[in-house]
Coordinates of all heavy atoms in Angstrom, one line a residue:
E358 N 6.4 46.0 25.8 CA 5.3 46.8 25.8 C 4.0 46.1 25.5 O 2.9 46.7 25.8 CB 5.6 48.0 24.8 CG 6.7 48.9 25.2 CD 7.2 49.8 24.1 OE1 6.6 49.7 23.0 OE2 8.0 50.7 24.3
A359 N 4.1 45.0 24.9 CA 2.9 44.2 24.5 C 2.3 43.4 25.7 O 1.2 42.8 25.6 CB 3.1 43.3 23.3
L360 N 3.1 43.3 26.8 CA 2.7 42.6 27.9 C 1.5 43.3 28.6 O 1.4 44.5 28.7 CB 3.8 42.4 29.0 CG 5.0 41.6 28.5 CD1 6.1 41.6 29.6 CD2 4.6 40.1 28.2
A361 N 0.6 42.5 29.2 CA -0.5 43.1 29.9 C 0.0 43.7 31.2 O 1.0 43.3 31.7 CB -1.6 42.0 30.2
C362 N -0.7 44.7 31.7 CA -0.3 45.3 33.0 C -0.2 44.3 34.1 O -1.2 43.6 34.4 CB -1.3 46.4 33.3 SG -0.9 47.3 34.8
G363 N 0.9 44.2 34.7 CA 1.1 43.3 35.8 C 1.5 41.9 35.4 O 1.7 41.0 36.3
E364 N 1.6 41.6 34.1 CA 1.8 40.3 33.6 C 3.3 40.0 33.9 O 4.2 40.8 33.7 CB 1.5 40.1 32.1 CG 1.8 38.7 31.6 CD 1.3 38.7 30.1 OE1 1.1 39.7 29.5 OE2 1.3 37.5 29.6
T365 N 3.6 38.8 34.4 CA 5.0 38.3 34.6 C 5.2 36.9 34.1 O 4.3 36.2 33.8 CB 5.4 38.4 36.2 OG1 4.5 37.5 36.9 CG2 5.2 39.8 36.7
R366 N 6.5 36.6 34.1 CA 6.9 35.2 33.7 C 6.3 34.7 32.4 O 6.1 33.6 32.1 CB 6.5 34.2 34.8 CG 7.2 34.4 36.1 CD 6.8 33.4 37.2 NE 7.5 33.6 38.4 CZ 8.7 33.0 38.7 NH1 9.2 32.1 37.8 NH2 9.2 33.2 39.9
K367 N 6.2 35.7 31.5 CA 5.7 35.4 30.1 C 6.8 34.8 29.3 O 7.9 35.3 29.3 CB 5.2 36.7 29.4 CG 4.8 36.5 28.0 CD 3.5 35.9 27.8 CE 3.1 35.8 26.3 NZ 2.7 37.1 25.8
E368 N 6.6 33.6 28.6 CA 7.6 33.1 27.8 C 7.3 33.5 26.3 O 6.2 33.3 25.8 CB 7.5 31.5 27.9 CG 8.6 30.9 27.0 CD 8.7 29.4 27.2 OE1 9.1 28.9 28.3 OE2 8.4 28.6 26.2
I369 N 8.3 34.1 25.7 CA 8.2 34.6 24.4 C 9.0 33.7 23.5 O 10.3 33.8 23.5 CB 8.7 36.1 24.3 CG1 7.9 36.9 25.3 CG2 8.5 36.6 22.9 CD1 8.4 38.4 25.4
P370 N 8.4 32.9 22.7 CA 9.2 31.9 21.8 C 10.0 32.6 20.8 O 9.7 33.7 20.3 CB 8.1 31.0 21.3 CG 6.9 31.9 21.3 CD 7.0 32.7 22.5
W371 N 11.0 32.0 20.3 CA 12.0 32.5 19.3 C 11.1 32.9 18.0 O 11.4 34.0 17.4 CB 13.0 31.5 18.9 CG 13.7 31.7 17.6 CD1 13.5 31.1 16.4 CD2 14.8 32.6 17.4 NE1 14.3 31.6 15.4 CE2 15.1 32.5 16.1 CE3 15.5 33.6 18.2 CZ2 16.1 33.3 15.5 CZ3 16.5 34.3 17.7 CH2 16.8 34.2 16.3
E372 N 10.2 32.1 17.6 CA 9.4 32.4 16.4 C 8.7 33.7 16.5 O 8.4 34.3 15.5 CB 8.4 31.3 16.2 CG 9.0 29.9 15.8 CD 9.7 29.2 17.0 OE1 9.3 29.6 18.2 OE2 10.5 28.3 16.8
Q373 N 8.4 34.2 17.7 CA 7.7 35.4 17.9 C 8.6 36.7 17.8 O 8.1 37.7 17.4 CB 6.9 35.4 19.2 CG 6.0 36.6 19.5 CD 5.2 36.4 20.7 OE1 4.8 35.3 21.1 NE2 4.9 37.5 21.4
W374 N 9.9 36.6 18.2 CA 10.7 37.8 18.2 C 12.0 37.6 17.4 O 12.5 38.6 16.9 CB 11.1 38.0 19.7 CG 12.1 37.0 20.3 CD1 11.7 35.9 20.9 CD2 13.5 37.1 20.3 NE1 12.9 35.2 21.3 CE2 14.0 36.0 21.0 CE3 14.4 38.0 19.8 CZ2 15.4 35.7 21.2 CZ3 15.8 37.7 19.9 CH2 16.2 36.6 20.6
G375 N 12.5 36.5 17.1 CA 13.8 36.3 16.5 C 13.8 36.5 15.0 O 14.6 37.3 14.5
P376 N 13.0 35.8 14.2 CA 13.1 35.9 12.7 C 13.0 37.2 12.1 O 13.8 37.6 11.2 CB 12.0 35.0 12.3 CG 11.7 33.9 13.4 CD 12.0 34.7 14.6
K377 N 12.1 38.1 12.7 CA 11.9 39.4 12.1 C 12.6 40.5 13.0 O 12.6 41.7 12.5 CB 10.4 39.8 12.0 CG 9.7 38.9 10.9 CD 8.2 39.3 10.8 CE 7.6 38.6 9.7 NZ 6.1 39.0 9.6
G378 N 13.2 40.1 14.1 CA 13.7 41.1 15.0 C 15.2 40.9 15.4 O 15.7 41.6 16.3
S379 N 15.9 40.1 14.6 CA 17.3 39.9 14.9 C 18.0 39.4 13.7 O 17.5 39.2 12.7 CB 17.4 38.8 16.0 OG 17.1 37.5 15.5
H380 N 19.3 39.3 13.9 CA 20.2 38.8 12.8 C 21.2 37.9 13.4 O 21.8 38.2 14.5 CB 21.0 40.0 12.0 CG 21.7 39.5 10.8 ND1 21.1 39.0 9.7 CD2 23.0 39.4 10.7 CE1 22.1 38.6 8.8 NE2 23.3 38.9 9.3
V381 N 21.4 36.7 12.9 CA 22.3 35.7 13.5 C 23.5 35.5 12.6 O 23.4 35.3 11.4 CB 21.5 34.3 13.7 CG1 22.4 33.3 14.3 CG2 20.3 34.6 14.5
L382 N 24.6 35.4 13.3 CA 25.9 35.1 12.6 C 26.5 33.9 13.2 O 26.7 33.8 14.4 CB 26.9 36.3 12.8 CG 26.5 37.7 12.3 CD1 27.6 38.7 12.7 CD2 26.3 37.7 10.8
G383 N 26.8 32.9 12.4 CA 27.4 31.7 12.8 C 28.7 31.5 12.0 O 28.7 31.2 10.9
N384 N 29.9 31.8 12.7 CA 31.2 31.7 12.0 C 32.2 31.3 12.9 O 32.1 31.3 14.1 CB 31.5 33.0 11.3 CG 31.6 34.2 12.2 OD1 32.3 34.2 13.2 ND2 30.7 35.1 12.0
N385 N 33.4 30.9 12.4 CA 34.5 30.5 13.2 C 35.4 31.6 13.7 O 36.3 31.4 14.5 CB 35.4 29.5 12.4 CG 34.6 28.2 12.1 OD1 33.9 27.7 13.0 ND2 34.8 27.7 10.9
T386 N 35.2 32.8 13.1 CA 36.0 33.9 13.5 C 35.5 34.6 14.8 O 36.2 34.6 15.9 CB 36.1 35.0 12.4 OG1 36.6 34.4 11.2 CG2 37.0 36.1 12.8
G387 N 34.3 35.1 14.7 CA 33.7 35.7 15.9 C 34.4 37.0 16.3 O 35.4 37.4 15.7
H388 N 33.9 37.6 17.4 CA 34.6 38.8 17.9 C 35.5 38.5 19.0 O 35.6 37.4 19.5 CB 33.5 39.8 18.4 CG 32.6 39.2 19.4 ND1 33.0 38.9 20.7 CD2 31.3 38.9 19.4 CE1 32.0 38.5 21.4 NE2 31.0 38.4 20.6
S389 N 36.3 39.4 19.4 CA 37.3 39.3 20.4 C 36.6 39.1 21.8 O 35.6 39.7 22.1 CB 38.2 40.5 20.5 OG 39.1 40.4 21.7
T390 N 37.2 38.3 22.7 CA 36.7 38.2 24.0 C 37.5 39.0 25.0 O 37.1 39.1 26.2 CB 36.9 36.7 24.5 OG1 38.3 36.3 24.4 CG2 36.0 35.8 23.6
V391 N 38.5 39.7 24.5 CA 39.3 40.6 25.3 C 39.0 42.1 25.0 O 38.7 42.9 25.9 CB 40.8 40.3 25.1 CG1 41.7 41.3 25.9 CG2 41.2 38.9 25.5
W392 N 39.0 42.4 23.7 CA 38.8 43.8 23.3 C 37.2 43.8 23.1 O 36.7 43.4 22.1 CB 39.5 44.1 22.0 CG 39.3 45.5 21.5 CD1 38.5 45.9 20.5 CD2 39.9 46.7 22.1 NE1 38.5 47.3 20.4 CE2 39.4 47.8 21.3 CE3 40.8 46.9 23.1 CZ2 39.8 49.1 21.6 CZ3 41.2 48.2 23.3 CH2 40.7 49.3 22.6
V393 N 36.6 44.4 24.0 CA 35.1 44.3 24.1 C 34.4 45.5 23.3 O 33.2 45.6 23.4 CB 34.6 44.2 25.5 CG1 35.1 42.9 26.1 CG2 35.0 45.4 26.4
C394 N 35.1 46.4 22.8 CA 34.5 47.6 22.1 C 34.2 47.2 20.7 O 34.6 47.9 19.8 CB 35.5 48.7 22.2 SG 35.8 49.3 23.9
Y395 N 33.4 46.2 20.5 CA 33.0 45.8 19.2 C 31.5 46.2 18.8 O 31.0 45.9 17.8 CB 33.2 44.3 19.0 CG 32.6 43.4 20.1 CD1 31.3 43.2 20.3 CD2 33.5 42.8 21.0 CE1 30.8 42.4 21.3 CE2 33.0 42.0 22.0 CZ 31.7 41.9 22.1 OH 31.2 41.1 23.2
V396 N 30.9 46.8 19.8 CA 29.5 47.3 19.6 C 29.4 48.7 20.2 O 29.9 49.0 21.3 CB 28.5 46.3 20.2 CG1 28.7 46.1 21.7 CG2 27.1 46.8 19.9
F397 N 28.7 49.6 19.4 CA 28.4 50.9 20.0 C 27.2 51.4 19.2 O 27.2 51.4 18.0 CB 29.6 51.9 19.7 CG 29.4 53.1 20.5 CD1 29.8 53.3 21.8 CD2 28.8 54.3 19.9 CE1 29.6 54.5 22.5 CE2 28.6 55.4 20.6 CZ 29.0 55.6 21.9
G398 N 26.1 51.8 20.0 CA 24.9 52.2 19.4 C 24.3 51.1 18.6 O 24.0 50.1 19.1
T399 N 24.1 51.4 17.3 CA 23.4 50.4 16.4 C 24.4 49.6 15.6 O 24.0 48.8 14.7 CB 22.4 51.0 15.5 OG1 23.1 52.0 14.7 CG2 21.3 51.7 16.3
R400 N 25.7 49.8 15.9 CA 26.8 49.2 15.0 C 27.6 48.1 15.7 O 27.9 48.2 16.9 CB 27.7 50.2 14.4 CG 27.1 51.2 13.5 CD 28.1 52.2 12.9 NE 27.5 53.1 11.9 CZ 28.1 53.9 11.2 NH1 29.5 54.0 11.3 NH2 27.5 54.7 10.3
Y401 N 27.9 47.1 14.9 CA 28.7 45.9 15.4 C 29.8 45.7 14.4 O 29.5 45.6 13.2 CB 27.8 44.7 15.6 CG 28.6 43.4 15.8 CD1 29.2 43.2 17.0 CD2 28.5 42.4 14.8 CE1 29.9 42.0 17.2 CE2 29.2 41.2 15.0 CZ 29.9 41.0 16.2 OH 30.5 39.8 16.4
V402 N 31.0 45.5 14.8 CA 32.1 45.3 14.0 C 32.8 44.0 14.3 O 32.9 43.6 15.4 CB 33.2 46.4 14.0 CG1 33.8 46.5 15.5 CG2 34.3 46.2 13.0

């Protein structure tokens, strides 16, 4: 929504969107690659 009207190919660096707009998990368990119902709405299991 912050893009100018008609603006394309804008590169948005990680520092602009990631630190305050995401959460990162780095672990050896991870989620299933077969049972894909691990996210629904705003929840992740």
Side-chain angles (χ1 to χ4, degrees):
E358 291 168 355
L360 296 176
C362 182
E364 184 177 10
T365 61
R366 295 180 177 269
K367 172 78 176 290
E368 182 173 294
I369 304 174
W371 164 259
E372 293 75 16
Q373 184 173 326
W374 69 272
K377 293 184 178 181
S379 70
H380 186 70
V381 180
L382 301 175
N384 55 60
N385 294 321
T386 303
H388 57 70
S389 171
T390 58
V391 178
W392 184 258
V393 296
C394 298
Y395 46 75
V396 57
F397 191 86
T399 60
R400 293 185 176 185
Y401 167 70
V402 61

